[in-house]
Each structure stands twice: as C-alpha cells, then as structure tokens.
Amino acid sequence: MKVNFLDLKRINASISEELVQACARVVDSGWYINGAELAKFEREFADYCGVKYCIGVANGLDALTLTLRAWKVLGKLKSGDEVIVPANTYIATILAITENDLVPILVEPDNRTFNIAIDRISEAITKKTRAIIPVHLYGQLADMPEIARLAEAYGLLVLEDSAQAHGAHYQGKKAGAWGDASGFSFYPGKNLGALGDGGAVTTDDEALASTLISLRNYGSEIKYQNEMKGVNSRLDEIQASVLSIKLKYLDAHNRFRRAVATRYLNEIKNDLLRLPVEQFSDTSRDAHVWHVFVVRCTNRKSFQDYLSSCGVQTLIHYPIPPHKQQALEEMSHLVLPITELIHEEVVSLPIGPCMTNEEIDLVIHACNTYSAAP
C-alpha cells in the first residue's frame, strides 16, 4: 500500500457528477468572467465566513497584494510603512508587502504552535508600524483575540492570511472575519480548493470592497472607464462554480481532517518526533482545520526516507525560510533562530478528507517504528 500525501483525484471523484454539471452549466451559459456564478459564490463565502463582502480574485497572493494596495489607494497606508508578519510564513505573504513598497518586519513564531508569537509582536511595533498580517499557518488560527487587542491599542490594520484556514473558527468567529480584511487562496490542495488557481478577500469594509472590485478589473467599475491603475485579477466563472459546490462539503471535510489529526495526536508515540500543539484545544478544537499535519524531527532526511520505504509520502512546508531565499537577499542578515530551526525540522504527514483507516494506520505505524539512523 502507498499513502499519497493528498489524493486530489479521489477527493474530486467523490463529487465528480456535481462538478461536471457545474462546469457544463458555465460552458452552456456563454458567460465566463464576472458573471452570475462569481456573484453567487461571493455571497455564499461571505455568509460562510460571517462578513458582508467577498471579492473573488485570481489567487491567494493577489488577495493579499491587492488588499494592501487598496489601503494605499484609500490613504490608510503609504510607501515605507511597516507591516509585521511572521518570519516562518510562505514567501507569498512577504511578497504582498514588498510589492506594495511597504516594509516587512519579520517576527519569530511561537515554538509550539508555529503561529506568530504575541509578545514578539509587541516588541516589533514602532512609530512606522501600520499593519499586522497574522498567518493562520497549517490551518490553525493565530491568537486573534490578542492580536485584535494589540491592533486596537496601537491603531493598526489587521490583514489575516487565511490561505490555509478555510472554516477554522474560535469563539463563534471564523477565519476571514477577525481582521479588517482577510486573504484566501483556493489553490487545488487547500481545504477549499478550486480546479486551478483562485483567491478571495473577505471584509466588512464597504469602501475596501468597492476599491478591490475596481482594482481587480483594470481599475474599472464601468466598462472602458478606468478610475485607477488596476490589474487583471479575476476569479473566473468555472472556478467560482466549482467552489460553490465544494463549499457545501467544507465543514464535513474539515471534521474528517480533525478526526485524522486526533488519531495522529493520540496514537503516534515516538520520542524522536515532536507533534503539533493546538493553541485553543482546551476550549475549541474547531480553531484548527489541519490543512497540513506537521511534525518535527531533528534527523528529517532519515525520517522521510524511512516513511518513504514504508509507502508513506511526506512533504516539507517549508524547507527554506523566507529571509534565506535569494529573492529576499536584503533580509539575509536577519538572525531568526526559531524560524530557522523550524524550517530545518518540519515534516508534513499525509492528511485529507478521503483517507481510509488502513492508510491512517500505516502512517501511524511508520511513525511509531521509526528509529534514528545509526
């Protein structure tokens, strides 16, 4: 038996008839951009997240980039302003900041939860700080009550990076509703994934929503009338129709992921592995939707090789921290020991909404029988 890290073909096959019908409906409609399917999904996803507005865009990076750009248009940000961001995020979060001529301030994560450390946010705030981008890494909500408190105290904007946290919620509030805005990715491997690229911004701010609608469409709300310098970043009708179908199954799929994660947490017993920690586990297991299940191992290659020999596929999220990437060489001088150690040790185990008990058993057995290479 082989356990794939994530079997997208199996996931989509379980609802293939609905997906085919949705795509056929779009094909037959003759309308493929900015139509009824997009409007429908935007309403549904806004309602799901508990916000007033959802603005579909081409991908998750654009969701973050265009939100920051819209705040510049609205006069809430200006070039040179500082934006606090976790140091161990995927590089896209940081690229959204640099693309807008803003200054990313990298902050170390909590060593247990992988999410941005609250005390280090406080230490990083300066007179130039204007925003915080908390990342709900691996599907776990950052400590949003505390981040919201800090933002209010210092008058900061909060842009959630919810690319991995569709459906995560705490105290009755979902990812996407905690900040002034939130960026989502619908990359196929996400908990809510399209059949291609896609993204969205959620917000309660009418002015922000209106600006984003214009920015994503060449800076135009009325055809051939361009009020600002915009871009082409639109969630197309086929992807919107697919996402409407998949949204119906998101909560059930997240519950299955939690069940798999619970088995891993309860049944993996190996002192060579460090298991993930749920920050809100005492009060809300729904705060983590387990986009990926990440363990730490000091001898990562040995561990991955052993699991591969057992038929278990693993991935690394992520092997190189952003400040060590060539694209961000201006940050290479930074010393971020927690981030760097995490990136050296993390391994992502298979997790998904269609795993069988036999596959879960095999992953657990392989983890428990691993021993460090001599």
Side-chain angles (χ1 to χ4, degrees), residues 299-352:
N299 194 341
R300 178 167 63 192
K301 185 179 187 307
S302 168
F303 177 57
Q304 284 195 287
D305 288 347
Y306 178 74
L307 262 63
S308 179
S309 73
C310 295
V312 176
Q313 182 186 25
T314 59
L315 295 180
I316 301 174
H317 296 86
Y318 304 98
I320 305 173
H323 69 288
K324 297 297 183 183
Q325 296 281 2
Q326 183 177 345
L328 298 176
E329 61 181 352
E330 69 273 17
M331 300 180 186
S332 61
H333 67 284
L334 296 176
V335 179
L336 299 163
I338 298 175
T339 293
E340 290 164 16
L341 184 60
I342 285 173
H343 283 261
E344 290 174 2
E345 295 182 348
V346 290
V347 178
S348 299
L349 302 181
I351 191 166

Short mmCIF file of all heavy atoms in Angstrom, two decimals, residues 299-352:
data_model
loop_
_atom_site.label_atom_id
_atom_site.label_comp_id
_atom_site.label_asym_id
_atom_site.label_seq_id
_atom_site.Cartn_x
_atom_site.Cartn_y
_atom_site.Cartn_z
N ASN A 299 16.36 14.66 12.68
CA ASN A 299 17.01 13.99 11.54
C ASN A 299 15.95 13.79 10.45
O ASN A 299 15.48 12.68 10.20
CB ASN A 299 17.61 12.65 11.97
CG ASN A 299 18.58 12.10 10.94
OD1 ASN A 299 18.56 12.50 9.78
ND2 ASN A 299 19.43 11.17 11.35
N ARG A 300 15.59 14.90 9.83
CA ARG A 300 14.45 14.90 8.92
C ARG A 300 14.64 13.96 7.73
O ARG A 300 13.71 13.22 7.36
CB ARG A 300 14.18 16.32 8.42
CG ARG A 300 13.03 16.40 7.44
CD ARG A 300 12.59 17.83 7.22
NE ARG A 300 13.63 18.67 6.61
CZ ARG A 300 13.54 20.00 6.53
NH1 ARG A 300 12.50 20.62 7.07
NH2 ARG A 300 14.49 20.69 5.96
N LYS A 301 15.79 13.98 7.11
CA LYS A 301 16.00 13.15 5.93
C LYS A 301 15.86 11.67 6.27
O LYS A 301 15.23 10.91 5.53
CB LYS A 301 17.37 13.41 5.31
CG LYS A 301 17.59 12.66 3.99
CD LYS A 301 18.92 12.95 3.38
CE LYS A 301 19.04 12.31 2.00
NZ LYS A 301 18.74 10.87 2.00
N SER A 302 16.43 11.27 7.38
CA SER A 302 16.31 9.87 7.80
C SER A 302 14.85 9.49 8.01
O SER A 302 14.40 8.42 7.60
CB SER A 302 17.11 9.66 9.10
OG SER A 302 16.80 8.43 9.69
N PHE A 303 14.11 10.39 8.65
CA PHE A 303 12.69 10.13 8.91
C PHE A 303 11.89 10.03 7.61
O PHE A 303 11.10 9.10 7.41
CB PHE A 303 12.13 11.24 9.81
CG PHE A 303 10.67 11.13 10.10
CD1 PHE A 303 10.14 9.98 10.69
CD2 PHE A 303 9.81 12.19 9.81
CE1 PHE A 303 8.78 9.89 10.97
CE2 PHE A 303 8.45 12.10 10.09
CZ PHE A 303 7.93 10.95 10.67
N GLN A 304 12.13 10.99 6.70
CA GLN A 304 11.41 10.95 5.43
C GLN A 304 11.76 9.70 4.62
O GLN A 304 10.88 9.09 4.00
CB GLN A 304 11.71 12.20 4.61
CG GLN A 304 10.99 13.45 5.09
CD GLN A 304 11.06 14.54 4.05
OE1 GLN A 304 12.11 15.15 3.83
NE2 GLN A 304 9.94 14.80 3.39
N ASP A 305 13.03 9.34 4.61
CA ASP A 305 13.46 8.15 3.87
C ASP A 305 12.79 6.90 4.43
O ASP A 305 12.36 6.02 3.67
CB ASP A 305 14.97 8.00 3.94
CG ASP A 305 15.71 9.02 3.09
OD1 ASP A 305 15.05 9.69 2.25
OD2 ASP A 305 16.94 9.16 3.27
N TYR A 306 12.70 6.84 5.76
CA TYR A 306 12.08 5.66 6.37
C TYR A 306 10.59 5.60 6.02
O TYR A 306 10.08 4.54 5.63
CB TYR A 306 12.25 5.68 7.89
CG TYR A 306 11.58 4.50 8.54
CD1 TYR A 306 12.13 3.22 8.46
CD2 TYR A 306 10.37 4.63 9.22
CE1 TYR A 306 11.50 2.12 9.03
CE2 TYR A 306 9.73 3.56 9.79
CZ TYR A 306 10.30 2.29 9.69
OH TYR A 306 9.67 1.21 10.24
N LEU A 307 9.89 6.71 6.13
CA LEU A 307 8.47 6.70 5.80
C LEU A 307 8.25 6.36 4.33
O LEU A 307 7.31 5.63 3.97
CB LEU A 307 7.82 8.05 6.15
CG LEU A 307 7.08 8.05 7.51
CD1 LEU A 307 8.03 7.79 8.65
CD2 LEU A 307 6.29 9.33 7.70
N SER A 308 9.12 6.86 3.46
CA SER A 308 9.01 6.52 2.04
C SER A 308 9.17 5.02 1.83
O SER A 308 8.45 4.41 1.01
CB SER A 308 10.06 7.29 1.25
OG SER A 308 10.01 6.97 -0.12
N SER A 309 10.10 4.41 2.56
CA SER A 309 10.30 2.96 2.43
C SER A 309 9.09 2.17 2.92
O SER A 309 8.88 1.03 2.52
CB SER A 309 11.55 2.53 3.21
OG SER A 309 11.32 2.57 4.61
N CYS A 310 8.28 2.82 3.77
CA CYS A 310 7.05 2.19 4.27
C CYS A 310 5.85 2.47 3.36
O CYS A 310 4.75 2.00 3.63
CB CYS A 310 6.73 2.68 5.68
SG CYS A 310 7.94 2.22 6.93
N GLY A 311 6.08 3.27 2.32
CA GLY A 311 4.99 3.60 1.40
C GLY A 311 4.24 4.87 1.77
O GLY A 311 3.14 5.11 1.27
N VAL A 312 4.81 5.71 2.64
CA VAL A 312 4.14 6.93 3.10
C VAL A 312 4.83 8.14 2.50
O VAL A 312 6.02 8.38 2.73
CB VAL A 312 4.16 7.02 4.64
CG1 VAL A 312 3.54 8.35 5.10
CG2 VAL A 312 3.41 5.85 5.25
N GLN A 313 4.10 8.92 1.73
CA GLN A 313 4.64 10.13 1.11
C GLN A 313 4.56 11.30 2.08
O GLN A 313 3.53 11.53 2.71
CB GLN A 313 3.87 10.47 -0.17
CG GLN A 313 4.40 11.69 -0.90
CD GLN A 313 3.53 12.10 -2.08
OE1 GLN A 313 2.34 11.81 -2.11
NE2 GLN A 313 4.14 12.77 -3.05
N THR A 314 5.64 12.05 2.20
CA THR A 314 5.66 13.25 3.04
C THR A 314 6.12 14.45 2.22
O THR A 314 6.73 14.29 1.16
CB THR A 314 6.61 13.07 4.25
OG1 THR A 314 7.93 12.80 3.77
CG2 THR A 314 6.14 11.93 5.15
N LEU A 315 5.85 15.63 2.73
CA LEU A 315 6.32 16.87 2.12
C LEU A 315 6.93 17.75 3.20
O LEU A 315 6.81 17.46 4.40
CB LEU A 315 5.18 17.61 1.42
CG LEU A 315 4.53 16.92 0.21
CD1 LEU A 315 3.41 17.80 -0.35
CD2 LEU A 315 5.56 16.62 -0.87
N ILE A 316 7.56 18.84 2.79
CA ILE A 316 8.13 19.80 3.73
C ILE A 316 7.50 21.16 3.48
O ILE A 316 7.58 21.71 2.40
CB ILE A 316 9.66 19.90 3.57
CG1 ILE A 316 10.32 18.55 3.80
CG2 ILE A 316 10.22 20.93 4.54
CD1 ILE A 316 11.81 18.54 3.51
N HIS A 317 6.87 21.71 4.52
CA HIS A 317 6.30 23.06 4.46
C HIS A 317 6.96 23.93 5.54
O HIS A 317 6.49 23.97 6.65
CB HIS A 317 4.80 23.02 4.71
CG HIS A 317 3.99 22.28 3.70
ND1 HIS A 317 3.78 20.91 3.77
CD2 HIS A 317 3.33 22.70 2.59
CE1 HIS A 317 3.01 20.54 2.76
NE2 HIS A 317 2.74 21.60 2.03
N TYR A 318 8.06 24.56 5.27
CA TYR A 318 8.72 24.82 4.01
C TYR A 318 10.20 24.61 4.26
O TYR A 318 10.69 24.86 5.37
CB TYR A 318 8.42 26.23 3.53
CG TYR A 318 6.93 26.48 3.42
CD1 TYR A 318 6.25 27.11 4.45
CD2 TYR A 318 6.21 26.01 2.31
CE1 TYR A 318 4.88 27.32 4.36
CE2 TYR A 318 4.84 26.23 2.22
CZ TYR A 318 4.18 26.87 3.25
OH TYR A 318 2.82 27.06 3.18
N PRO A 319 11.00 24.20 3.27
CA PRO A 319 12.40 23.86 3.52
C PRO A 319 13.32 25.06 3.74
O PRO A 319 14.34 24.94 4.41
CB PRO A 319 12.80 23.09 2.26
CG PRO A 319 11.87 23.56 1.21
CD PRO A 319 10.58 23.85 1.90
N ILE A 320 12.99 26.22 3.16
CA ILE A 320 13.86 27.39 3.27
C ILE A 320 13.05 28.57 3.82
O ILE A 320 12.03 28.93 3.24
CB ILE A 320 14.45 27.78 1.90
CG1 ILE A 320 15.19 26.60 1.26
CG2 ILE A 320 15.39 28.99 2.04
CD1 ILE A 320 15.65 26.85 -0.15
N PRO A 321 13.49 29.18 4.92
CA PRO A 321 12.75 30.34 5.45
C PRO A 321 12.85 31.52 4.49
O PRO A 321 13.84 31.65 3.75
CB PRO A 321 13.45 30.62 6.78
CG PRO A 321 14.78 30.00 6.67
CD PRO A 321 14.65 28.83 5.75
N PRO A 322 11.84 32.38 4.47
CA PRO A 322 11.84 33.49 3.52
C PRO A 322 13.10 34.35 3.55
O PRO A 322 13.60 34.75 2.50
CB PRO A 322 10.60 34.30 3.93
CG PRO A 322 9.69 33.28 4.53
CD PRO A 322 10.58 32.32 5.25
N HIS A 323 13.62 34.63 4.75
CA HIS A 323 14.76 35.54 4.82
C HIS A 323 16.05 34.90 4.32
O HIS A 323 17.07 35.59 4.20
CB HIS A 323 14.95 36.08 6.25
CG HIS A 323 15.41 35.05 7.25
ND1 HIS A 323 14.59 34.05 7.71
CD2 HIS A 323 16.60 34.87 7.87
CE1 HIS A 323 15.23 33.31 8.58
NE2 HIS A 323 16.47 33.78 8.69
N LYS A 324 16.01 33.62 3.99
CA LYS A 324 17.16 32.95 3.40
C LYS A 324 16.97 32.68 1.90
O LYS A 324 17.82 32.06 1.26
CB LYS A 324 17.44 31.62 4.13
CG LYS A 324 17.82 31.79 5.60
CD LYS A 324 19.12 32.56 5.76
CE LYS A 324 19.54 32.66 7.21
NZ LYS A 324 20.77 33.47 7.38
N GLN A 325 15.88 33.16 1.36
CA GLN A 325 15.62 32.99 -0.07
C GLN A 325 16.39 34.05 -0.86
O GLN A 325 16.51 35.20 -0.44
CB GLN A 325 14.12 33.14 -0.36
CG GLN A 325 13.23 32.08 0.27
CD GLN A 325 13.25 30.77 -0.50
OE1 GLN A 325 13.96 30.61 -1.50
NE2 GLN A 325 12.45 29.80 -0.05
N GLN A 326 16.87 33.66 -2.03
CA GLN A 326 17.61 34.60 -2.87
C GLN A 326 16.77 35.81 -3.24
O GLN A 326 17.27 36.93 -3.34
CB GLN A 326 18.09 33.89 -4.15
CG GLN A 326 18.94 34.76 -5.05
CD GLN A 326 19.46 34.01 -6.27
OE1 GLN A 326 19.43 32.79 -6.31
NE2 GLN A 326 19.94 34.74 -7.25
N ALA A 327 15.47 35.59 -3.42
CA ALA A 327 14.58 36.69 -3.80
C ALA A 327 14.50 37.78 -2.74
O ALA A 327 14.17 38.93 -3.05
CB ALA A 327 13.17 36.14 -4.06
N LEU A 328 14.81 37.42 -1.50
CA LEU A 328 14.77 38.39 -0.40
C LEU A 328 16.16 38.54 0.23
O LEU A 328 16.30 38.59 1.45
CB LEU A 328 13.75 37.93 0.65
CG LEU A 328 12.29 37.83 0.19
CD1 LEU A 328 11.42 37.27 1.29
CD2 LEU A 328 11.76 39.18 -0.29
N GLU A 329 17.16 38.64 -0.61
CA GLU A 329 18.53 38.67 -0.11
C GLU A 329 18.79 39.88 0.77
O GLU A 329 19.71 39.87 1.60
CB GLU A 329 19.52 38.64 -1.27
CG GLU A 329 19.42 39.80 -2.23
CD GLU A 329 20.44 39.68 -3.37
OE1 GLU A 329 21.28 38.76 -3.28
OE2 GLU A 329 20.38 40.47 -4.32
N GLU A 330 17.97 40.93 0.66
CA GLU A 330 18.14 42.09 1.53
C GLU A 330 17.83 41.75 2.99
O GLU A 330 18.16 42.53 3.90
CB GLU A 330 17.26 43.25 1.06
CG GLU A 330 15.75 43.05 1.23
CD GLU A 330 15.10 42.33 0.05
OE1 GLU A 330 15.83 41.71 -0.74
OE2 GLU A 330 13.87 42.42 -0.06
N MET A 331 17.21 40.59 3.23
CA MET A 331 16.89 40.17 4.59
C MET A 331 17.85 39.10 5.10
O MET A 331 17.69 38.60 6.22
CB MET A 331 15.46 39.61 4.65
CG MET A 331 14.39 40.58 4.24
SD MET A 331 12.76 39.82 4.35
CE MET A 331 11.75 41.14 3.66
N SER A 332 18.83 38.73 4.31
CA SER A 332 19.68 37.60 4.65
C SER A 332 20.50 37.82 5.93
O SER A 332 20.99 36.86 6.53
CB SER A 332 20.63 37.29 3.49
OG SER A 332 21.48 38.41 3.22
N HIS A 333 20.63 39.07 6.35
CA HIS A 333 21.38 39.36 7.57
C HIS A 333 20.60 39.05 8.83
O HIS A 333 21.18 38.99 9.93
CB HIS A 333 21.77 40.84 7.58
CG HIS A 333 20.59 41.76 7.71
ND1 HIS A 333 19.74 42.02 6.65
CD2 HIS A 333 20.09 42.44 8.78
CE1 HIS A 333 18.79 42.84 7.05
NE2 HIS A 333 18.97 43.11 8.33
N LEU A 334 19.31 38.85 8.72
CA LEU A 334 18.47 38.63 9.90
C LEU A 334 18.85 37.33 10.60
O LEU A 334 19.15 36.32 9.94
CB LEU A 334 16.99 38.60 9.51
CG LEU A 334 16.40 39.89 8.94
CD1 LEU A 334 14.96 39.67 8.50
CD2 LEU A 334 16.48 41.02 9.96
N VAL A 335 18.80 37.36 11.90
CA VAL A 335 19.05 36.17 12.71
C VAL A 335 17.75 35.79 13.39
O VAL A 335 17.27 36.49 14.29
CB VAL A 335 20.15 36.43 13.76
CG1 VAL A 335 20.37 35.18 14.60
CG2 VAL A 335 21.44 36.87 13.08
N LEU A 336 17.16 34.69 12.94
CA LEU A 336 15.85 34.24 13.43
C LEU A 336 15.96 32.76 13.78
O LEU A 336 15.53 31.89 13.03
CB LEU A 336 14.79 34.48 12.35
CG LEU A 336 14.60 35.95 11.93
CD1 LEU A 336 13.86 36.04 10.61
CD2 LEU A 336 13.84 36.72 13.02
N PRO A 337 16.52 32.45 14.93
CA PRO A 337 16.86 31.06 15.25
C PRO A 337 15.66 30.12 15.35
O PRO A 337 15.77 28.96 14.95
CB PRO A 337 17.59 31.17 16.60
CG PRO A 337 17.20 32.50 17.16
CD PRO A 337 16.98 33.39 15.98
N ILE A 338 14.55 30.59 15.88
CA ILE A 338 13.37 29.70 15.99
C ILE A 338 12.86 29.36 14.60
O ILE A 338 12.61 28.19 14.28
CB ILE A 338 12.28 30.36 16.84
CG1 ILE A 338 12.77 30.59 18.26
CG2 ILE A 338 11.02 29.48 16.85
CD1 ILE A 338 11.79 31.36 19.13
N THR A 339 12.71 30.36 13.77
CA THR A 339 12.26 30.15 12.39
C THR A 339 13.20 29.20 11.65
O THR A 339 12.75 28.26 10.98
CB THR A 339 12.18 31.49 11.65
OG1 THR A 339 11.14 32.28 12.23
CG2 THR A 339 11.89 31.29 10.17
N GLU A 340 14.49 29.43 11.77
CA GLU A 340 15.46 28.62 11.04
C GLU A 340 15.45 27.17 11.51
O GLU A 340 15.54 26.24 10.69
CB GLU A 340 16.85 29.25 11.19
CG GLU A 340 16.98 30.58 10.44
CD GLU A 340 18.17 31.41 10.87
OE1 GLU A 340 19.06 30.85 11.53
OE2 GLU A 340 18.20 32.62 10.55
N LEU A 341 15.29 26.96 12.80
CA LEU A 341 15.24 25.59 13.31
C LEU A 341 13.97 24.88 12.85
O LEU A 341 14.01 23.71 12.45
CB LEU A 341 15.30 25.59 14.84
CG LEU A 341 15.35 24.21 15.52
CD1 LEU A 341 16.58 23.43 15.07
CD2 LEU A 341 15.31 24.36 17.03
N ILE A 342 12.85 25.59 12.89
CA ILE A 342 11.59 25.00 12.42
C ILE A 342 11.73 24.55 10.97
O ILE A 342 11.32 23.44 10.60
CB ILE A 342 10.44 26.01 12.58
CG1 ILE A 342 10.03 26.12 14.06
CG2 ILE A 342 9.23 25.61 11.73
CD1 ILE A 342 9.02 27.21 14.34
N HIS A 343 12.30 25.40 10.13
CA HIS A 343 12.43 25.06 8.72
C HIS A 343 13.39 23.89 8.48
O HIS A 343 13.30 23.22 7.45
CB HIS A 343 12.86 26.28 7.92
CG HIS A 343 11.76 27.26 7.66
ND1 HIS A 343 11.08 27.31 6.47
CD2 HIS A 343 11.20 28.21 8.44
CE1 HIS A 343 10.15 28.26 6.52
NE2 HIS A 343 10.21 28.82 7.71
N GLU A 344 14.27 23.64 9.40
CA GLU A 344 15.19 22.50 9.28
C GLU A 344 14.54 21.19 9.73
O GLU A 344 15.01 20.12 9.34
CB GLU A 344 16.44 22.76 10.13
CG GLU A 344 17.34 23.85 9.59
CD GLU A 344 18.48 24.16 10.55
OE1 GLU A 344 18.58 23.48 11.61
OE2 GLU A 344 19.27 25.07 10.25
N GLU A 345 13.49 21.27 10.53
CA GLU A 345 12.96 20.06 11.17
C GLU A 345 11.57 19.63 10.72
O GLU A 345 11.20 18.47 10.91
CB GLU A 345 12.92 20.27 12.69
CG GLU A 345 14.29 20.44 13.32
CD GLU A 345 14.23 20.58 14.83
OE1 GLU A 345 13.10 20.78 15.38
OE2 GLU A 345 15.28 20.49 15.48
N VAL A 346 10.78 20.51 10.13
CA VAL A 346 9.37 20.18 9.88
C VAL A 346 9.20 19.15 8.77
O VAL A 346 9.91 19.16 7.76
CB VAL A 346 8.54 21.43 9.55
CG1 VAL A 346 8.39 22.32 10.77
CG2 VAL A 346 9.15 22.21 8.37
N VAL A 347 8.23 18.25 8.99
CA VAL A 347 7.81 17.26 8.00
C VAL A 347 6.29 17.17 8.06
O VAL A 347 5.70 17.06 9.14
CB VAL A 347 8.40 15.87 8.29
CG1 VAL A 347 7.91 14.86 7.26
CG2 VAL A 347 9.92 15.91 8.32
N SER A 348 5.64 17.22 6.89
CA SER A 348 4.19 17.15 6.83
C SER A 348 3.74 15.73 6.48
O SER A 348 4.16 15.18 5.46
CB SER A 348 3.65 18.13 5.78
OG SER A 348 4.01 19.46 6.11
N LEU A 349 2.89 15.17 7.34
CA LEU A 349 2.36 13.82 7.13
C LEU A 349 1.11 13.87 6.27
O LEU A 349 0.43 14.90 6.20
CB LEU A 349 2.02 13.17 8.48
CG LEU A 349 3.14 13.03 9.50
CD1 LEU A 349 2.61 12.35 10.75
CD2 LEU A 349 4.32 12.27 8.92
N PRO A 350 0.76 12.77 5.62
CA PRO A 350 -0.48 12.75 4.82
C PRO A 350 -1.70 13.06 5.68
O PRO A 350 -1.83 12.55 6.81
CB PRO A 350 -0.53 11.30 4.30
CG PRO A 350 0.88 10.83 4.33
CD PRO A 350 1.50 11.50 5.52
N ILE A 351 -2.57 13.91 5.18
CA ILE A 351 -3.85 14.16 5.83
C ILE A 351 -4.82 14.67 4.77
O ILE A 351 -4.44 15.47 3.91
CB ILE A 351 -3.71 15.17 7.00
CG1 ILE A 351 -5.00 15.20 7.83
CG2 ILE A 351 -3.33 16.55 6.52
CD1 ILE A 351 -4.83 15.90 9.17
N GLY A 352 -6.03 14.19 4.81
CA GLY A 352 -7.02 14.60 3.81
C GLY A 352 -8.38 14.01 4.13
O GLY A 352 -8.50 13.10 4.97
#
